[in-house]
Amino acid sequence: MKIKIFMMVSESKTLYIFLFSIFSLVFVNGQNKVPFGVVKAQEGYAMVRVHKDDYRKIIDKIRMKTGDVFVYVKPAPGETEWIWIQYPEKPEIEKPFVRYDSLNKEGMVNKERIAFIDQLPKFTPSKSKNGKSLIFTDDTNPKIPGNQRTKVIIDIYPSYAKIKKQEKDADGNIITIDKVKSWGVGKELPEDLTEIKSIRVQQPGRGSVFVRDAVKNMFQPTMDFNNIAVTALDNDHIFLYMINGSGENRYTTLWTIKEGRAVSQIIFKNPE
C-alpha cells in the first residue's frame, strides 16, 4: 500500500514538473515576438530586485507609474514568480516625449505586477480605402457608438529620404538621415522606400498627432496586421507596437500613448 501511494505521489510530482516545464516554455516563446510588458500595479509602481543570491535586494522602484513599459528578457534564474526585465532610465527632467533606443537598467520584477502588451485587449484593425493608412478602433465596449470610439491611425507613404543628407558608417551602412538615426534601411535606400508619415489619435474629448520626433526616420513600416497592433490597459494607457523592416534591417518599436498623446517610444534592432 505504501509503495502504491509513493508511486502515485511520484507520478503526480513528475506530472507537475512536466506541466510546469511546458508552461514555462510557452511563456518564454510566447514573448519572443513582442517582448514588451507594462506595469499594471494599482499602487503606481513595481519593485525591481536583483537575483536571490543578493537576497532579493530591492534596487529600484519602477516609478514608471501604472502604464509605463519595459522589455521582457527571460524568466528570472531559479524563480517561478519573477521575470528578468530591461527598462529605460527616465530623464531627471520630464519631457513631453522621449525616444529610447537603448535600455540601461535591469532587474527582476514579480509577474503579478505586470501585464504583457500583446495580451491586453486589442483594437480592431482595418485599412483606409486608398490602402495607405492603418486604422485601429477600440471595439471592446459595444455600447459606445462607433463615432465615439477611440482610434489610432497610422499614415504610411512613399519616402523622400533620397533627397536628404545621409551619413554612413565605416561599412557603408546608413546610420543617419538629416542627422537623425534611421531605422529599417541598410547601405542603400530602395526605390520603393516607405516611411511613417504621421500617427494620429482620435479619442472623445482629446486626441493628437504624434510629434515628429516620434515617427522620424521610421522606414519600411509593416502593413501586415500580424506584425502590428494597438492594445490598451485602459482609456488613458494605449500601446502601439510594430515589427518593421526585414532581414538584417528589421526592428521592433513600441509607443506609449498616455491620455491621448504619445509620451515615449522604445525602439531596437532585431534582425531576422
Side-chain angles (χ1 to χ4, degrees):
M1 183 67 178
K2 290 183 179 180
I3 295 177
K4 185 175 181 180
I5 293 174
F6 175 77
M7 290 178 64
M8 290 175 64
V9 171
S10 299
E11 288 173 358
S12 298
K13 186 175 181 181
T14 301
L15 178 61
Y16 171 80
I17 294 173
F18 173 75
L19 291 175
F20 177 77
S21 300
I22 293 296
F23 170 78
S24 300
L25 183 62
V26 171
F27 177 79
V28 173
N29 291 339
Q31 300 307 317
N32 285 341
K33 186 177 181 181
V34 185
F36 300 111
V38 56
V39 175
K40 70 175 182 180
Q42 295 301 315
E43 295 87 346
Y45 64 89
M47 299 290 192
V48 180
R49 304 170 187 258
V50 295
H51 188 250
K52 65 180 180 180
D53 290 344
D54 292 314
Y55 202 67
R56 293 186 177 178
K57 177 183 176 182
I58 297 174
I59 57 173
D60 203 357
K61 287 184 179 180
I62 308 182
R63 290 284 180 184
M64 301 200 296
K65 304 172 184 177
T66 299
D68 278 5
V69 296
F70 57 83
V71 171
Y72 163 78
V73 180
K74 61 182 179 181
E79 302 288 344
T80 59
E81 298 302 319
W82 297 74
I83 61 172
W84 199 262
I85 67 169
Q86 292 179 338
Y87 57 102
E89 184 171 9
K90 287 189 172 183
E92 292 184 5
I93 300 176
E94 190 170 345
K95 299 179 180 180
F97 174 81
V98 59
R99 173 184 280 186
Y100 302 102
D101 58 14
S102 63
L103 302 173
N104 52 9
K105 305 196 77 174
E106 61 181 81
M108 65 180 190
V109 65
N110 194 289
K111 289 189 294 186
E112 293 298 318
R113 313 289 290 180
I114 59 93
F116 289 105
I117 295 295
D118 58 349
Q119 295 175 3
L120 293 174
K122 289 182 170 64
F123 284 23
T124 303
S126 61
K127 290 185 179 180
S128 62
K129 291 181 179 180
N130 65 7
K132 294 182 178 180
S133 297
L134 305 178
I135 304 167
F136 294 85
T137 305
D138 183 6
D139 292 326
T140 56
N141 186 352
K143 294 182 179 179
I144 298 176
N147 61 355
Q148 296 180 23
R149 297 179 185 181
T150 299
K151 291 184 179 181
V152 176
I153 304 166
I154 306 164
D155 301 314
I156 298 173
Y157 281 80
S159 173
Y160 295 100
K162 281 196 171 185
I163 64 175
K164 299 177 181 179
K165 185 177 180 180
Q166 303 173 17
E167 180 185 0
K168 297 186 177 184
D169 62 17
D171 296 322
N173 296 300
I174 299 171
I175 53 176
T176 68
I177 296 177
D178 270 0
K179 298 182 179 180
V180 176
K181 190 170 183 178
S182 57
W183 299 89
V185 294
K187 298 180 185 297
E188 301 294 337
L189 299 180
E191 290 296 330
D192 60 349
L193 183 67
T194 58
E195 66 177 305
I196 297 176
K197 182 178 178 63
S198 64
I199 300 178
R200 297 169 281 149
V201 181
Q202 295 178 359
Q203 195 170 42
R206 62 191 181 199
S208 67
V209 177
F210 279 27
V211 295
R212 183 60 182 157
D213 288 346
V215 297
K216 183 75 171 178
N217 290 357
M218 306 284 291
F219 299 111
Q220 304 298 64
T222 185
M223 298 292 285
D224 182 353
F225 288 135
N226 290 318
N227 291 326
I228 179 174
V230 175
T231 67
L233 193 62
D234 51 45
N235 286 334
D236 292 336
H237 302 96
I238 299 171
F239 309 97
L240 162 60
Y241 65 80
M242 302 179 76
I243 302 173
N244 296 329
S246 61
E248 62 180 8
N249 299 317
R250 188 177 74 165
Y251 63 99
T252 298
T253 186
L254 168 76
W255 290 272
T256 297
I257 303 168
K258 183 178 179 181
E259 297 178 354
R261 65 180 183 87
V263 296
S264 69
Q265 177 186 20
I266 293 176
I267 179 172
F268 57 90
K269 190 173 182 179
N270 60 326
E272 292 179 287

